[in-house]
Amino acid sequence: IRSSISNVTLAIGEAEIAFANLEIRKNELLNNLKKLSEKQNDFAQKLEGKYGKGNVNIDTGEFVPTK
C-alpha cells in the first residue's frame, strides 16, 4: 500500500508540474496574441490615415470605403 501511495503522490506531482508548464505556455501565447492585436490595430490606423475609413476584403485584398 505504501508503494502505491508513493506512486500516486509522484504522479500527482508530475501532473502539477505539467499543469504549471501549461499555464506558463498559455500566458506566453496570450502575451503574443496581445502584441499581435496591437500590431493589427496600429496597421489599421495607418491604413485609415492613408485611405480613409473602410474595410479590406481579406479574400480579395480589395479596399471598400465606408460611406
Side-chain angles (χ1 to χ4, degrees), residues 1-4 6 11 15-17 22 24-28 30 32-33 40 42 47-48 51-54 57 62-63:
I1 292 177
R2 181 171 277 160
S3 176
S4 294
S6 291
E16 286 292 329
I17 290 170
L22 285 173
I24 291 168
R25 181 68 177 138
K26 175 185 170 186
N27 288 331
E28 290 171 350
L30 288 172
N32 287 343
L33 180 62
Q40 181 182 28
D42 289 344
L47 286 177
E48 186 176 313
Y51 299 106
K53 289 190 178 203
N57 182 322
E62 178 185 9
F63 176 77

Side-chain angles (χ1 to χ4, degrees), residues 1-38:
I1 292 177
R2 181 171 277 160
S3 176
S4 294
I5 291 172
S6 291
N7 288 339
V8 170
T9 302
L10 178 63
I12 290 171
E14 290 172 345
E16 286 292 329
I17 290 170
F19 182 75
N21 287 334
L22 285 173
E23 284 290 323
I24 291 168
R25 181 68 177 138
K26 175 185 170 186
N27 288 331
E28 290 171 350
L29 291 170
L30 288 172
N31 285 334
N32 287 343
L33 180 62
K34 180 181 175 186
K35 288 177 187 177
L36 288 171
S37 180
E38 289 170 355

